[in-house]
Amino acid sequence: MTRPAVRGPSRAERAEGWRAPGTDAGWLNPVTERFLLRLLVKKELRVRYRGSVLGMVWSYVKPAVQFVVFYIALGVFLQLSKDTPAYAVYLFSGIVVVNLFGEVFGNATRSITGNAPLVSKIYLPSQLFPWSSMIVALVHFLPQLVVLVVGALLYGWRPSPTSVAAFALGMVILLVFTMGLGLLGAALNAAFRDVENFVDLIVMVATWLSPVLYRIAMVQEAIGGTVLWWLYQLNPLTIVVELFHVAFWRYGPHVVAKVPADPTLTQPGEPFGLWWAGLLIAAATFVVGTVVFERSKRRFAQEL
């Protein structure tokens, strides 16, 4: 007895919104399936703070503790605050970048394995899981951004077209680059659970391989003119952190007042000049991550 052929939706059915089982819009799913994306974001936020007394307050507590530890260890004990005016703003503008990078990259990598019951039992566009993780990370990023803006204002900083442009450019590079890594990590982690441990190592090292805790001029003095110096500058996180420094720190009155004594404080620097390279690297990473994810998603249910 022959099995009847599976009939796809007719033209009339497609016009009414019907589609063949298992088909979706690919990388456009976050746009075409906005309702499902909102549900997943609400679910992640509800699950994350279930049974928590402080709830969203943790979005302030964790970066605040991290900032205090780094500021005391580096700004006070190692006296970096003496050589860097408004060091608190300089430090925190880099911390918010690596925090957002770490949360998006880590949560996106675990998004498929963390939602194994949904992925293996019912059909949902798989791209929605890492994208919902990114939106949740942005929800946690907003309180940190508010604290950064308030702190910069207290130091006399005022927004300008340059600062707004640097911030917007930095956010675009950071989110595109990190989502590309997250999609790639999510696809690989579904097959090899070791990947999430490698991601944790990358996030841990990222703080030290970008000018978050120290000035980039110190790196140039140590390895300037070498291949390592160029690789350091082409690191998208280095470019983003420097763009955030331009946005919130570099043109503050405390920095500008020291220009005659230390002109390196306001030099544009290669990383800011290499913003176009950051965009290209971010776009290439996003394309690679999307292609790998698209080719792997049909095996997620079996691998989980």
Side-chain angles (χ1 to χ4, degrees):
M1 181 178 180
T2 60
R3 181 178 299 177
V6 177
R7 182 183 66 87
S10 64
R11 181 177 301 177
E13 290 171 336
R14 287 196 298 268
E16 294 176 1
W18 293 88
R19 65 188 181 200
T23 60
D24 54 45
W27 64 279
L28 289 175
N29 279 321
V31 178
T32 59
E33 303 291 349
R34 293 185 297 273
F35 176 74
L36 289 176
L37 183 61
R38 287 196 297 269
L39 290 181
L40 288 176
V41 170
K42 292 178 181 178
K43 188 267 295 181
E44 285 202 29
L45 289 172
R46 192 179 301 116
V47 169
R48 177 167 302 191
Y49 295 113
R50 180 181 299 167
S52 173
V53 176
L54 296 180
M56 282 291 293
V57 176
W58 285 111
S59 299
Y60 295 89
V61 173
K62 291 180 179 179
V65 172
Q66 185 182 20
F67 166 76
V68 169
V69 170
F70 282 140
Y71 187 84
I72 293 176
L74 301 172
V76 178
F77 295 162
L78 297 182
Q79 300 185 351
L80 290 182
S81 58
K82 291 185 177 180
D83 298 327
T84 307
Y87 181 68
V89 177
Y90 181 93
L91 177 63
F92 198 66
S93 59
I95 286 178
V96 297
V97 171
V98 295
N99 282 348
L100 182 58
F101 168 78
E103 185 166 4
V104 174
F105 190 15
N107 291 351
T109 298
R110 297 178 178 86
S111 61
I112 299 299
T113 55
N115 290 280
L118 289 176
V119 176
S120 59
K121 293 181 180 179
I122 62 175
Y123 175 75
L124 283 174
S126 301
Q127 291 85 354
L128 299 183
F129 296 109
W131 280 90
S132 65
S133 297
M134 183 198 73
I135 295 175
V136 170
L138 286 174
V139 171
H140 296 150
F141 170 75
L142 287 177
Q144 301 177 44
L145 181 61
V146 170
V147 173
L148 173 59
V149 170
V150 171
L153 289 171
L154 291 176
Y155 272 93
W157 167 85
R158 295 295 181 268
S160 66
T162 300
S163 61
V164 173
F167 171 74
L169 190 57
M171 287 296 296
V172 170
I173 295 173
L174 179 61
L175 292 179
V176 173
F177 175 67
T178 311
M179 272 308 299
L181 292 178
L183 290 168
L184 180 62
L188 297 177
N189 193 52
F192 310 102
R193 300 299 190 274
D194 294 329
V195 172
E196 61 187 60
N197 295 317
F198 282 108
V199 169
D200 292 337
L201 291 176
I202 293 173
V203 172
M204 180 180 64
V205 174
T207 305
W208 299 94
L209 290 184
S210 51
V212 175
L213 311 176
Y214 49 83
R215 293 229 314 274
I216 195 170
M218 300 170 65
V219 182
Q220 187 174 13
E221 292 175 3
I223 60 174
T226 66
V227 175
L228 291 177
W229 168 238
W230 283 101
L231 292 176
Y232 182 88
Q233 293 180 94
L234 290 174
N235 174 13
L237 281 184
T238 297
I239 297 172
V240 173
V241 169
E242 282 296 284
L243 285 171
F244 268 61
H245 288 159
V246 171
F248 297 103
W249 173 80
R250 192 182 297 276
Y251 297 108
H254 288 72
V255 180
V256 174
K258 290 193 66 176
V259 171
D262 189 358
T264 62
L265 290 172
T266 54
Q267 286 181 354
E270 287 301 319
F272 185 41
L274 290 174
W275 61 266
W276 55 271
L279 279 177
L280 290 177
I281 295 172
T285 305
F286 183 80
V287 170
V288 171
T290 300
V291 169
V292 172
F293 191 94
E294 283 292 312
R295 292 185 175 181
S296 306
K297 66 181 183 180
R298 295 189 181 278
R299 300 193 300 269
F300 287 162
Q302 292 85 347
E303 292 169 344
L304 296 174

Coordinates of all heavy atoms in Angstrom, one line a residue, residues 222-292:
A222 N 53.2 49.3 24.8 CA 53.7 48.0 25.1 C 54.0 47.2 23.8 O 55.0 46.5 23.6 CB 52.8 47.2 26.0
I223 N 53.0 47.2 22.8 CA 53.1 46.4 21.6 C 52.9 47.2 20.4 O 52.6 46.6 19.3 CB 52.1 45.2 21.7 CG1 50.6 45.8 21.8 CG2 52.4 44.3 22.9 CD1 49.6 44.7 21.7
G224 N 53.0 48.5 20.4 CA 52.7 49.3 19.2 C 53.7 49.0 18.1 O 54.9 48.7 18.3
G225 N 53.2 49.0 16.9 CA 54.0 48.7 15.7 C 54.1 47.2 15.4 O 54.8 46.8 14.4
T226 N 53.5 46.3 16.2 CA 53.6 44.9 15.9 C 52.3 44.4 15.4 O 51.3 45.1 15.3 CB 53.9 44.1 17.2 OG1 52.8 44.3 18.1 CG2 55.2 44.7 17.9
V227 N 52.3 43.1 15.0 CA 51.1 42.5 14.5 C 50.0 42.4 15.6 O 48.8 42.5 15.3 CB 51.4 41.1 13.9 CG1 50.1 40.3 13.5 CG2 52.4 41.2 12.7
L228 N 50.5 42.1 16.8 CA 49.6 42.0 17.9 C 48.8 43.3 18.1 O 47.6 43.3 18.5 CB 50.3 41.6 19.2 CG 50.9 40.2 19.2 CD1 51.7 40.0 20.5 CD2 49.8 39.2 19.1
W229 N 49.5 44.4 17.9 CA 48.8 45.7 18.0 C 47.7 45.9 17.0 O 46.6 46.4 17.3 CB 49.9 46.8 17.9 CG 49.3 48.2 17.8 CD1 49.6 49.1 16.7 CD2 48.5 48.9 18.7 NE1 48.9 50.3 16.9 CE2 48.3 50.2 18.1 CE3 47.9 48.6 19.9 CZ2 47.5 51.2 18.8 CZ3 47.1 49.6 20.5 CH2 46.9 50.8 20.0
W230 N 47.9 45.5 15.8 CA 46.9 45.6 14.8 C 45.7 44.6 15.1 O 44.6 45.0 14.9 CB 47.5 45.3 13.4 CG 48.2 46.4 12.8 CD1 49.6 46.6 12.8 CD2 47.7 47.6 12.3 NE1 49.9 47.8 12.2 CE2 48.8 48.5 11.9 CE3 46.4 48.1 12.0 CZ2 48.6 49.7 11.3 CZ3 46.2 49.3 11.4 CH2 47.3 50.1 11.1
L231 N 46.1 43.4 15.5 CA 45.0 42.5 15.9 C 44.2 43.1 17.1 O 42.9 42.9 17.1 CB 45.6 41.1 16.3 CG 46.2 40.3 15.1 CD1 46.9 39.1 15.7 CD2 45.2 40.0 14.1
Y232 N 44.9 43.7 18.0 CA 44.2 44.3 19.2 C 43.2 45.4 18.7 O 42.1 45.5 19.2 CB 45.2 44.8 20.1 CG 44.6 45.4 21.4 CD1 44.3 44.7 22.5 CD2 44.3 46.8 21.4 CE1 43.8 45.2 23.6 CE2 43.7 47.3 22.6 CZ 43.5 46.5 23.7 OH 42.9 47.1 24.8
Q233 N 43.7 46.2 17.8 CA 42.8 47.3 17.3 C 41.6 46.8 16.5 O 40.5 47.4 16.5 CB 43.6 48.2 16.4 CG 44.7 49.0 17.1 CD 45.5 49.9 16.2 OE1 45.1 51.1 16.0 NE2 46.5 49.3 15.5
L234 N 41.8 45.6 15.8 CA 40.7 45.1 14.9 C 39.7 44.3 15.7 O 38.7 43.8 15.2 CB 41.3 44.2 13.8 CG 42.1 45.0 12.7 CD1 42.7 44.0 11.7 CD2 41.2 46.0 12.0
N235 N 40.0 44.1 17.0 CA 39.0 43.4 17.9 C 37.8 44.3 17.9 O 37.8 45.4 18.4 CB 39.6 43.2 19.2 CG 38.6 42.7 20.2 OD1 37.5 42.2 19.9 ND2 39.0 42.7 21.5
P236 N 36.6 43.8 17.5 CA 35.4 44.6 17.5 C 35.1 45.1 18.9 O 34.5 46.3 19.0 CB 34.3 43.6 17.0 CG 35.0 42.6 16.2 CD 36.4 42.5 16.8
L237 N 35.4 44.4 20.0 CA 35.1 44.9 21.3 C 36.0 46.1 21.6 O 35.6 47.0 22.3 CB 35.3 43.8 22.3 CG 34.2 42.8 22.5 CD1 34.5 41.8 23.6 CD2 32.9 43.5 22.7
T238 N 37.2 46.1 21.1 CA 38.1 47.3 21.3 C 37.5 48.5 20.6 O 37.5 49.6 21.2 CB 39.5 47.0 20.7 OG1 40.1 45.9 21.5 CG2 40.4 48.2 20.8
I239 N 37.0 48.3 19.4 CA 36.4 49.4 18.7 C 35.2 49.9 19.4 O 35.0 51.1 19.5 CB 36.1 48.9 17.3 CG1 37.4 48.6 16.5 CG2 35.3 50.0 16.5 CD1 37.2 47.9 15.2
V240 N 34.3 49.0 19.9 CA 33.1 49.4 20.5 C 33.4 50.1 21.8 O 32.8 51.2 22.2 CB 32.2 48.2 20.8 CG1 31.0 48.6 21.6 CG2 31.7 47.6 19.4
V241 N 34.3 49.6 22.6 CA 34.6 50.2 23.9 C 35.2 51.6 23.7 O 34.8 52.6 24.4 CB 35.7 49.4 24.7 CG1 36.2 50.2 25.9 CG2 35.0 48.1 25.2
E242 N 36.0 51.8 22.7 CA 36.6 53.1 22.4 C 35.5 54.1 21.9 O 35.5 55.3 22.2 CB 37.7 53.0 21.3 CG 39.0 52.6 21.9 CD 39.5 53.6 22.9 OE1 40.1 54.6 22.5 OE2 39.5 53.3 24.1
L243 N 34.5 53.6 21.1 CA 33.4 54.4 20.7 C 32.5 54.8 21.9 O 32.1 56.0 22.0 CB 32.5 53.6 19.7 CG 33.0 53.4 18.3 CD1 32.2 52.5 17.5 CD2 33.1 54.8 17.6
F244 N 32.4 53.9 22.9 CA 31.6 54.3 24.1 C 32.5 55.3 24.9 O 31.9 56.2 25.6 CB 31.4 53.1 25.0 CG 30.0 52.5 24.7 CD1 29.7 52.0 23.4 CD2 29.1 52.4 25.7 CE1 28.5 51.4 23.2 CE2 27.8 51.8 25.4 CZ 27.5 51.3 24.2
H245 N 33.8 55.2 24.9 CA 34.6 56.2 25.5 C 34.4 57.6 24.9 O 34.4 58.6 25.5 CB 36.1 55.8 25.5 CG 36.4 54.7 26.4 ND1 37.5 53.9 26.3 CD2 35.7 54.2 27.6 CE1 37.5 53.0 27.3 NE2 36.5 53.2 28.0
V246 N 34.4 57.6 23.5 CA 34.1 58.8 22.8 C 32.7 59.4 23.2 O 32.5 60.6 23.4 CB 34.2 58.6 21.3 CG1 33.7 59.8 20.5 CG2 35.6 58.3 20.9
A247 N 31.8 58.5 23.3 CA 30.4 58.9 23.6 C 30.2 59.5 25.0 O 29.5 60.5 25.1 CB 29.4 57.7 23.4
F248 N 30.9 58.9 26.0 CA 30.6 59.3 27.4 C 31.7 59.9 28.2 O 31.5 60.4 29.2 CB 30.0 58.1 28.1 CG 28.7 57.6 27.6 CD1 28.7 56.4 26.8 CD2 27.5 58.2 27.8 CE1 27.5 55.9 26.3 CE2 26.3 57.7 27.3 CZ 26.4 56.6 26.6
W249 N 32.9 59.8 27.7 CA 34.1 60.1 28.5 C 35.1 61.1 27.8 O 35.4 62.1 28.4 CB 34.9 58.9 28.9 CG 36.2 59.1 29.6 CD1 36.3 59.5 30.9 CD2 37.5 59.1 29.0 NE1 37.7 59.7 31.2 CE2 38.4 59.4 30.0 CE3 37.9 58.9 27.7 CZ2 39.8 59.5 29.8 CZ3 39.3 59.0 27.5 CH2 40.2 59.3 28.5
R250 N 35.4 60.8 26.6 CA 36.6 61.5 26.0 C 36.4 63.0 25.9 O 37.4 63.8 26.1 CB 36.8 61.0 24.6 CG 38.2 61.4 24.0 CD 38.4 60.9 22.6 NE 38.4 59.5 22.5 CZ 39.5 58.7 22.7 NH1 40.6 59.3 23.0 NH2 39.4 57.4 22.6
Y251 N 35.2 63.5 25.7 CA 35.0 65.0 25.6 C 34.4 65.6 26.8 O 33.8 66.7 26.8 CB 34.2 65.3 24.3 CG 34.9 64.8 23.1 CD1 34.5 63.7 22.4 CD2 36.0 65.5 22.6 CE1 35.2 63.3 21.2 CE2 36.7 65.1 21.5 CZ 36.3 64.0 20.8 OH 36.9 63.6 19.7
G252 N 34.5 64.9 28.0 CA 34.0 65.5 29.2 C 35.0 66.6 29.7 O 36.2 66.6 29.3
P253 N 34.5 67.5 30.5 CA 35.4 68.6 30.9 C 36.6 68.2 31.7 O 37.6 68.8 31.6 CB 34.4 69.5 31.8 CG 33.3 68.6 32.2 CD 33.2 67.6 31.1
H254 N 36.5 67.1 32.5 CA 37.6 66.6 33.2 C 38.7 66.1 32.3 O 39.9 66.2 32.7 CB 37.2 65.5 34.2 CG 36.4 66.0 35.4 ND1 35.1 66.4 35.2 CD2 36.7 66.2 36.7 CE1 34.6 66.8 36.4 NE2 35.6 66.7 37.3
V255 N 38.4 65.6 31.2 CA 39.4 65.1 30.2 C 39.9 66.2 29.4 O 41.1 66.4 29.3 CB 38.7 64.0 29.3 CG1 39.8 63.5 28.3 CG2 38.2 62.9 30.1
V256 N 39.1 67.1 28.9 CA 39.5 68.2 28.1 C 40.4 69.2 28.8 O 41.4 69.7 28.3 CB 38.3 69.0 27.5 CG1 38.7 70.2 26.8 CG2 37.4 68.1 26.6
A257 N 40.2 69.3 30.1 CA 41.0 70.2 31.0 C 42.4 69.7 31.1 O 43.3 70.5 31.3 CB 40.4 70.3 32.4
K258 N 42.7 68.4 30.9 CA 44.0 67.9 31.0 C 44.7 67.7 29.6 O 45.8 67.2 29.6 CB 44.0 66.5 31.7 CG 43.6 66.6 33.2 CD 43.9 65.3 33.8 CE 45.4 64.9 33.9 NZ 45.7 63.7 34.6
V259 N 44.1 68.2 28.6 CA 44.7 68.0 27.2 C 46.1 68.6 27.1 O 47.0 67.9 26.6 CB 43.8 68.6 26.2 CG1 44.5 68.6 24.8 CG2 42.5 67.8 26.1
P260 N 46.3 69.8 27.6 CA 47.7 70.4 27.5 C 48.7 69.5 28.2 O 49.9 69.4 27.7 CB 47.6 71.7 28.1 CG 46.1 72.1 28.0 CD 45.4 70.8 28.2
A261 N 48.4 68.9 29.3 CA 49.3 68.1 30.1 C 49.5 66.7 29.5 O 50.5 66.1 29.6 CB 48.9 68.0 31.5
D262 N 48.4 66.2 28.9 CA 48.4 64.8 28.4 C 47.6 64.7 27.2 O 46.4 64.4 27.2 CB 47.8 63.8 29.5 CG 48.0 62.4 29.1 OD1 48.6 62.1 28.0 OD2 47.7 61.5 29.9
P263 N 48.2 65.1 26.0 CA 47.4 65.2 24.8 C 46.9 63.8 24.3 O 46.0 63.7 23.5 CB 48.4 65.7 23.8 CG 49.7 65.5 24.3 CD 49.5 65.5 25.8
T264 N 47.4 62.7 24.8 CA 47.0 61.4 24.4 C 45.6 61.1 24.8 O 44.9 60.2 24.3 CB 47.9 60.3 24.9 OG1 47.8 60.3 26.4 CG2 49.3 60.5 24.5
L265 N 45.1 61.9 25.8 CA 43.7 61.6 26.3 C 42.7 61.9 25.2 O 41.6 61.3 25.2 CB 43.4 62.5 27.5 CG 44.2 62.1 28.8 CD1 44.0 63.2 29.8 CD2 43.7 60.8 29.3
T266 N 42.9 62.8 24.3 CA 41.9 63.2 23.3 C 42.3 62.8 21.9 O 41.7 63.3 20.9 CB 41.6 64.7 23.4 OG1 42.8 65.4 23.2 CG2 40.9 65.0 24.7
Q267 N 43.4 62.0 21.7 CA 43.7 61.6 20.4 C 42.6 60.6 19.9 O 42.1 59.8 20.6 CB 45.0 60.9 20.4 CG 46.2 61.8 20.5 CD 47.5 61.1 20.4 OE1 47.6 59.9 20.4 NE2 48.6 61.8 20.4
P268 N 42.1 60.8 18.6 CA 41.1 59.9 18.1 C 41.4 58.4 18.3 O 40.6 57.6 18.6 CB 40.9 60.3 16.7 CG 41.4 61.7 16.6 CD 42.5 61.8 17.6
G269 N 42.7 58.1 18.0 CA 43.0 56.7 18.2 C 42.6 55.8 17.0 O 41.6 56.1 16.3
E270 N 43.4 54.8 16.7 CA 43.0 53.9 15.6 C 41.7 53.2 15.8 O 41.0 53.0 14.8 CB 44.2 52.9 15.4 CG 45.4 53.5 14.8 CD 45.2 54.1 13.4 OE1 44.4 53.5 12.6 OE2 45.7 55.1 13.1
P271 N 41.4 52.7 16.9 CA 40.1 52.0 17.1 C 38.9 52.8 16.6 O 38.0 52.3 16.0 CB 40.0 51.6 18.5 CG 41.4 51.5 18.9 CD 42.1 52.6 18.2
F272 N 38.9 54.1 17.0 CA 37.8 54.9 16.6 C 37.8 55.2 15.1 O 36.8 55.2 14.4 CB 37.8 56.3 17.4 CG 36.6 57.2 17.1 CD1 35.4 56.6 17.0 CD2 36.8 58.5 17.0 CE1 34.3 57.4 16.8 CE2 35.7 59.3 16.7 CZ 34.5 58.8 16.6
G273 N 39.0 55.3 14.6 CA 39.1 55.5 13.1 C 38.8 54.2 12.4 O 38.5 54.3 11.2
L274 N 38.9 53.1 13.0 CA 38.6 51.8 12.4 C 37.2 51.3 12.6 O 36.9 50.1 12.5 CB 39.6 50.7 12.9 CG 41.0 50.9 12.5 CD1 41.9 49.8 13.2 CD2 41.2 50.7 11.0
W275 N 36.2 52.3 12.8 CA 34.8 51.9 13.0 C 34.3 51.1 11.8 O 33.5 50.2 11.9 CB 34.0 53.1 13.2 CG 34.0 54.1 12.1 CD1 34.8 55.2 11.9 CD2 33.1 54.0 10.9 NE1 34.5 55.8 10.8 CE2 33.5 55.2 10.1 CE3 32.1 53.2 10.5 CZ2 32.8 55.4 8.9 CZ3 31.4 53.5 9.3 CH2 31.8 54.6 8.5
W276 N 34.8 51.5 10.6 CA 34.3 50.8 9.4 C 34.8 49.3 9.4 O 34.0 48.4 8.9 CB 34.9 51.5 8.1 CG 36.4 51.6 8.1 CD1 37.1 52.7 8.6 CD2 37.3 50.7 7.6 NE1 38.4 52.4 8.4 CE2 38.6 51.2 7.8 CE3 37.2 49.4 7.0 CZ2 39.8 50.6 7.4 CZ3 38.4 48.8 6.6 CH2 39.6 49.3 6.8
A277 N 36.0 49.1 9.9 CA 36.4 47.7 10.0 C 35.6 46.9 11.0 O 35.3 45.7 10.8 CB 37.9 47.6 10.4
G278 N 35.2 47.6 12.1 CA 34.3 46.9 13.0 C 33.0 46.5 12.4 O 32.4 45.5 12.7
L279 N 32.4 47.4 11.6 CA 31.2 47.1 10.9 C 31.3 45.9 10.0 O 30.5 45.0 9.9 CB 30.7 48.3 10.1 CG 29.9 49.4 10.9 CD1 29.6 50.6 10.0 CD2 28.6 48.8 11.6
L280 N 32.4 45.9 9.2 CA 32.6 44.8 8.3 C 32.8 43.5 9.0 O 32.2 42.5 8.6 CB 33.9 45.1 7.4 CG 33.8 46.2 6.4 CD1 35.1 46.5 5.7 CD2 32.6 45.9 5.4
I281 N 33.6 43.5 10.1 CA 33.8 42.2 10.8 C 32.5 41.8 11.5 O 32.2 40.6 11.5 CB 34.9 42.5 11.9 CG1 36.3 42.7 11.2 CG2 35.0 41.2 12.8 CD1 37.3 43.2 12.2
A282 N 31.7 42.7 12.0 CA 30.5 42.4 12.6 C 29.5 41.8 11.6 O 28.8 40.8 11.8 CB 29.9 43.6 13.3
A283 N 29.4 42.4 10.4 CA 28.5 41.9 9.4 C 29.0 40.5 8.9 O 28.1 39.6 8.7 CB 28.5 42.9 8.2
A284 N 30.3 40.3 8.7 CA 30.7 39.0 8.3 C 30.4 38.0 9.3 O 30.0 36.8 9.0 CB 32.2 39.1 8.0
T285 N 30.6 38.3 10.6 CA 30.3 37.3 11.7 C 28.9 37.0 11.7 O 28.5 35.8 11.9 CB 30.8 37.9 13.0 OG1 32.1 38.3 13.0 CG2 30.6 36.9 14.1
F286 N 28.0 38.0 11.5 CA 26.6 37.8 11.5 C 26.2 36.9 10.4 O 25.3 36.0 10.5 CB 25.8 39.1 11.4 CG 24.3 39.0 11.5 CD1 23.7 38.8 12.7 CD2 23.6 39.0 10.4 CE1 22.3 38.6 12.8 CE2 22.2 38.8 10.4 CZ 21.6 38.7 11.6
V287 N 26.7 37.1 9.2 CA 26.4 36.2 8.0 C 26.8 34.8 8.3 O 26.0 33.8 8.0 CB 27.1 36.8 6.7 CG1 26.9 35.8 5.6 CG2 26.4 38.1 6.4
V288 N 28.0 34.6 8.8 CA 28.5 33.2 9.0 C 27.6 32.6 10.1 O 27.2 31.4 9.9 CB 30.0 33.3 9.5 CG1 30.4 31.9 10.0 CG2 30.9 33.7 8.4
G289 N 27.3 33.3 11.2 CA 26.5 32.7 12.2 C 25.1 32.3 11.7 O 24.6 31.3 12.1
T290 N 24.5 33.2 10.9 CA 23.2 32.9 10.4 C 23.2 31.7 9.4 O 22.3 30.9 9.5 CB 22.7 34.2 9.6 OG1 22.6 35.3 10.5 CG2 21.3 33.9 9.1
V291 N 24.2 31.6 8.6 CA 24.3 30.5 7.6 C 24.4 29.2 8.4 O 23.7 28.2 8.1 CB 25.4 30.7 6.6 CG1 25.7 29.4 5.8 CG2 25.1 31.9 5.7
V292 N 25.3 29.1 9.4 CA 25.5 27.9 10.1 C 24.3 27.6 10.9 O 23.9 26.4 11.0 CB 26.7 28.1 11.1 CG1 26.9 26.9 12.0 CG2 28.0 28.3 10.3

